[in-house]
Amino acid sequence: MKAVKTMFCCIAAALIIVAVLFSPNAVKSHAAVAPRYARADARDIYFCERKDLNYALFTIPYTYCVEILSTDGDWYYVRYAEDSSAYRALYGYCLSSSLTPVEEPPPQIYLNMPIVIKFKPDAPENSLPVLGELNVTAAFYGTYYAGATAYSYVYYDGTFGYVYGAHDDYPLNEIPSDEPPAEKPDTSGGGANTKLITGIALAGVAAAALIILYFSGRRKYFRPDR
């Protein structure tokens, strides 16, 4: 009877260990370790409307970040900027190989630098007097070069678009020189599921082994023939 109790205690202990190690909370904690942000450590990292550099909209401002929402092959699905002040959040894609995942983002994650755009209407001949130069403030997102011509991607009055000129004279975030490399985020959850399945399988094997050892180790007693 004592041996039976010992066997069941071992099996119960194995199952409890697996349940604790591979519980939803444990899996969730493991997933939370993955970096949430990635930094632009070069000046030619493009934010794209689709997973194609032909659909690039602008370059992420140097030393600033995007928020990693998911991974899709060689691409991150990201968010840049947030709905605040003159800015609106943009969702798109960046090549994962071009960005540096960071454990701790800089104090200013996204560049916040509204710019003044000057418009001067061309009055036709014999026109009535019209207003002169107009100045409007727009939210600057990044620069895009088409050949030798520089454009700035901006948001103004509910519309995204380009204006002439680069605006790359923005303040930079400090990049720590001793920053350890962060692991690439795994947002698929496949690793956690594999660990869970493996743990349950090992627990089953352990339980089966204990049962086999128990029954194979029992002595058989026979009454002598009289």
Side-chain angles (χ1 to χ4, degrees):
M1 191 68 181
K2 184 177 180 181
V4 175
K5 290 182 178 180
T6 302
M7 178 190 68
F8 280 109
C9 287
C10 292
I11 295 173
L15 293 176
I16 290 172
I17 292 172
V18 172
V20 170
L21 292 178
F22 299 96
S23 64
N25 289 335
V27 172
K28 184 177 181 181
S29 298
H30 173 76
V33 174
R36 180 181 172 187
Y37 295 96
R39 187 179 58 225
D41 286 348
R43 296 182 181 272
D44 58 350
I45 299 175
Y46 289 94
F47 180 96
C48 302
E49 190 176 9
R50 305 181 189 177
K51 293 182 293 181
D52 188 335
L53 289 175
N54 292 320
Y55 291 88
L57 296 177
F58 58 90
T59 55
I60 302 297
Y62 179 53
T63 71
Y64 290 86
C65 296
V66 294
E67 182 183 4
I68 302 171
L69 302 178
S70 65
T71 57
D72 190 350
D74 295 331
W75 296 82
Y76 288 145
Y77 179 60
V78 302
R79 182 185 78 163
Y80 181 74
E82 55 188 359
D83 296 334
S84 176
S85 185
Y87 283 82
R88 293 295 178 269
L90 275 179
Y91 297 86
Y93 295 89
C94 292
L95 280 171
S96 58
S97 59
S98 301
L99 292 164
T100 303
V102 291
E103 299 291 347
E104 292 292 335
Q108 189 169 342
I109 299 173
Y110 314 113
L111 176 63
N112 188 333
M113 190 184 75
I115 60 174
V116 175
I117 304 171
K118 298 180 179 181
F119 292 99
K120 186 175 182 180
D122 295 326
E125 189 177 354
N126 300 322
S127 170
L128 293 174
V130 296
L131 293 175
E133 190 175 81
L134 299 176
N135 295 333
V136 300
T137 301
F140 170 75
Y141 281 74
T143 305
Y144 183 87
Y145 283 89
T149 305
Y151 299 87
S152 291
Y153 195 71
V154 300
Y155 176 78
Y156 171 72
D157 195 24
T159 302
F160 289 96
Y162 294 98
V163 295
Y164 286 112
H167 293 81
D168 294 335
D169 55 342
Y170 47 79
L172 303 180
N173 285 315
E174 182 179 355
I175 299 178
S177 58
D178 57 346
E179 180 181 70
E183 294 183 0
K184 294 288 184 179
D186 178 12
T187 56
S188 63
N193 291 336
T194 301
K195 287 187 176 183
L196 178 60
I197 294 171
T198 302
I200 294 174
L202 289 175
V205 171
L210 288 170
I211 294 173
I212 293 171
L213 288 174
Y214 169 73
F215 284 107
S216 61
R218 292 185 64 186
R219 294 182 179 180
K220 296 181 179 181
Y221 295 94
F222 299 93
R223 289 186 179 183
D225 295 332
R226 292 183 181 179

